[in-house]
Amino acid sequence: MKPVVIIGAGMAGLLAAAQLHLNQIPFLLVDAQNQVGGRLYSEHVKGFTLDVGFQVLQTNYPEVQRSLDLHSLDLAAFESGAYLWNNESWLAFVNPLKQPGSLFSALASGIMTVKDAYLLARLWFITQADVQPLGSQESTQDFLNRWGFSPKFQSHFLRPFFGGIFLSAGLNPPASLFRYYMKQFLEGTAAIPATGIGAIPLQMAASLPADSIRLGTQVTQVSANQVTLSDGATVDAEHVILATDASAAAKLLGVSLEKGAFWSTKTLYFQVPASADVKPMLHLVPNSRVLHYAYFSHVQPAYAPKGMDLISVTTLDVSMQSADVLTELAPFVGPSIQNWAFLKEYLLPEALPVVGAFDELKQKAADAGIVLSGDFTGFPSLQSAMQSGREAAESCLKA
Ligand SMILES: Cc1cc2nc3c(=O)[nH]c(=O)nc-3n(C[C@H](O)[C@H](O)[C@H](O)COP(=O)(O)OP(=O)(O)OC[C@H]3O[C@@H](n4cnc5c(N)ncnc54)[C@H](O)[C@@H]3O)c2cc1C
């Protein structure tokens, strides 16, 4: 029997491979890079663990629950909440479901109105039901305005927090996706593995037969039953699952993507001498080119060497340099910003696919008899990438 060829060993391709392996179907998983994981990758620099772009593992995602051994990832979680900027200092706003007193501090500070508190409670109530991530045409920003969240609560909490999830400053993604993520944050935890976010795909790959994975091998041509590799060799396939990122899939299928099909971001890392009194939560920076910063090593201590802390800074302004970040954050951090020493930055021009930008690509793959997989086939998240991989394998099993 010819193998199913899976192109791309990101989380989508790995899930497809795991599902085929479970059903004893021969497969070949090919990736252009020398490692698995695609956008889920970590580097180790000067004793620090740096994820290539700020990201977290939502432990409540159904596919995460189903396919990962969370225990052996040795996860540590963000505290549910965030630091909000209150005139000249930071206010720790802990999830009111876990610490109701936090609500009163936020109300007293004026960052939140009584109506905002009521609307949050109403949101919490509607997220008790099943929330479909892609059910609405309305943008998140339009939804927040229609519901009547106050401008200050939007600028000090909702926009920097969800802007950092969507990587969209204008909160353009669908309101249904906002409600879906809200549910994940309220019901699950946002966690990081001890050895970096890249430990997740490594765990998946470890359960697959090593001789079925070929790394450092780019696919240059694809059809329903054959792929051509960069060295000119061809591999015949029972089925082909195209699980690359959207740009690579478009190139292989000869589709031109619209400008603006991706959200971009930059993550900058700084090291500072260890400090004891900062909670493992994001500092949300209002009305700024920086969305948020976090003492990452207070979430996952294994990310920094002893005596040091690791700070991550997330911006959507990809032109920002480390010096710009220090200038921008000086009023929020105070004189201790002098201790921030720049470590490394990661620019991710195609970090997340824009919902709805890939219809032509999907049609072209369907017409060519190629099974398409990847986060861009659904919505930008590990959940969607993993689900699409599993479903791609299932469709090969049925065919
Ligand atoms: C900065 C950032 C923050 C994020 N934050 C979160 C978060 O907090 N929570 C969350 O759930 N998700 C988050 N995500 C999204 C999540 O990382 C992605 O949805 C997921 O990793 C996508 O997996 P994938 O398999 O679809 O694609 P990818 O990871 O892009 O994998 C595609 C693979 O295809 C390979 N490939 C491409 N072309 C070829 C070719 N011609 N031949 C062979 N191989 C090829 C690539 O090398 C790559 O390994 C974030 C992403 C980024 C970048």
Side-chain angles (χ1 to χ4, degrees):
M1 190 181 181
K2 286 178 278 179
V4 174
V5 175
I6 307 162
I7 311 168
M11 287 306 282
L14 285 164
L15 253 286
Q19 192 67 14
L20 292 171
H21 186 50
L22 193 69
N23 287 278
Q24 297 172 333
I25 304 292
F27 69 89
L28 178 66
L29 176 60
V30 184
D31 200 289
Q33 302 295 320
N34 289 320
Q35 75 275 334
V36 298
R39 272 168 281 164
L40 227 52
Y41 185 56
S42 309
E43 292 189 329
H44 302 282
V45 177
K46 296 182 187 167
F48 293 86
T49 298
L50 309 182
D51 294 335
V52 179
F54 172 94
Q55 55 183 312
V56 297
L57 177 67
Q58 289 292 348
T59 56
N60 224 33
Y61 280 151
E63 291 292 342
V64 166
Q65 292 277 335
R66 182 177 180 151
S67 306
L68 297 178
D69 173 4
L70 293 179
H71 180 72
S72 64
L73 286 173
D74 201 0
L75 297 172
F78 276 87
E79 189 165 340
S80 181
Y83 281 105
L84 309 183
W85 184 246
N86 180 24
N87 296 324
E88 296 195 333
S89 62
W90 289 103
L91 174 79
F93 178 59
V94 180
N95 178 349
L97 292 173
K98 298 185 176 158
Q99 200 173 301
S102 200
L103 196 62
F104 298 109
S105 319
L107 286 168
S109 72
I111 294 173
M112 180 189 239
T113 63
V114 173
K115 184 175 177 189
D116 292 322
Y118 160 74
L119 293 174
L120 271 187
R122 210 174 128 198
L123 254 181
W124 174 76
F125 185 73
I126 62 170
T127 58
Q128 299 304 296
D130 236 13
V131 179
Q132 290 308 313
L134 296 179
S136 81
Q137 299 293 323
E138 187 180 34
S139 78
T140 298
Q141 184 60 69
D142 288 347
F143 170 83
L144 298 177
N145 292 342
R146 181 167 62 79
W147 269 42
F149 281 101
S150 71
K152 191 157 186 185
F153 191 59
Q154 289 198 35
S155 63
H156 283 56
F157 176 64
L158 293 168
R159 209 165 300 126
F161 190 80
F162 284 94
I165 295 169
F166 292 145
L167 303 182
S168 157
L171 301 185
N172 297 44
S176 49
L177 198 53
F178 162 72
R179 292 193 291 268
Y180 178 83
Y181 288 145
M182 188 68 133
K183 183 179 173 74
Q184 302 305 319
F185 277 101
L186 288 172
E187 294 179 0
T189 57
I192 317 172
T195 56
I197 204 85
I200 298 167
L202 288 177
Q203 182 186 86
M204 291 291 311
S207 66
L208 302 173
D211 59 357
S212 298
I213 305 178
R214 207 179 292 173
L215 299 177
T217 306
Q218 187 172 10
V219 169
T220 53
Q221 279 181 50
V222 61
S223 69
N225 297 103
Q226 193 179 68
V227 300
T228 306
L229 309 178
S230 47
D231 63 3
T234 55
V235 182
D236 291 333
E238 194 67 27
H239 302 280
V240 171
I241 297 177
L242 184 51
T244 64
D245 51 280
S247 264
K251 207 166 158 201
L252 283 167
L253 293 177
V255 172
S256 306
L257 295 177
E258 300 273 322
K259 211 165 161 265
F262 297 93
W263 301 110
S264 312
T265 186
K266 191 186 245 189
T267 302
L268 301 96
Y269 288 104
F270 296 83
Q271 56 174 315
V272 293
S275 59
D277 59 345
V278 187
K279 283 176 182 287
M281 302 197 298
L282 297 179
H283 288 73
L284 300 177
V285 190
N287 307 315
S288 165
R289 293 160 76 199
V290 167
L291 285 178
H292 56 70
Y293 68 91
Y295 278 70
F296 233 63
S297 46
H298 286 211
V299 183
Q300 182 51 275
Y303 267 47
K306 216 169 183 311
M308 298 302 291
D309 271 336
L310 175 69
I311 295 177
S312 78
V313 175
T314 296
T315 176
L316 303 182
D317 181 345
V318 295
S319 69
M320 269 192 119
Q321 302 300 316
S322 58
D324 304 325
V325 165
L326 296 178
T327 308
E328 189 84 14
L329 289 181
F332 301 97
V333 176
S336 69
I337 203 158
Q338 288 170 2
N339 301 328
W340 288 32
F342 177 62
L343 265 172
K344 192 161 179 179
E345 65 173 41
Y346 295 99
L347 169 61
L348 299 146
E350 297 187 354
L352 297 180
V354 169
V355 171
F358 305 99
D359 291 347
E360 190 189 342
L361 185 54
K362 290 183 198 171
Q363 191 55 54
K364 191 81 187 266
D367 293 347
I370 293 166
V371 186
L372 203 58
S373 177
D375 61 349
F376 66 93
T377 62
F379 59 98
S381 71
L382 287 181
Q383 162 62 23
S384 190
M386 294 169 79
Q387 182 180 345
S388 74
R390 188 172 52 77
E391 288 174 355
E394 281 166 359
S395 77
C396 294
L397 293 173
K398 279 187 211 138

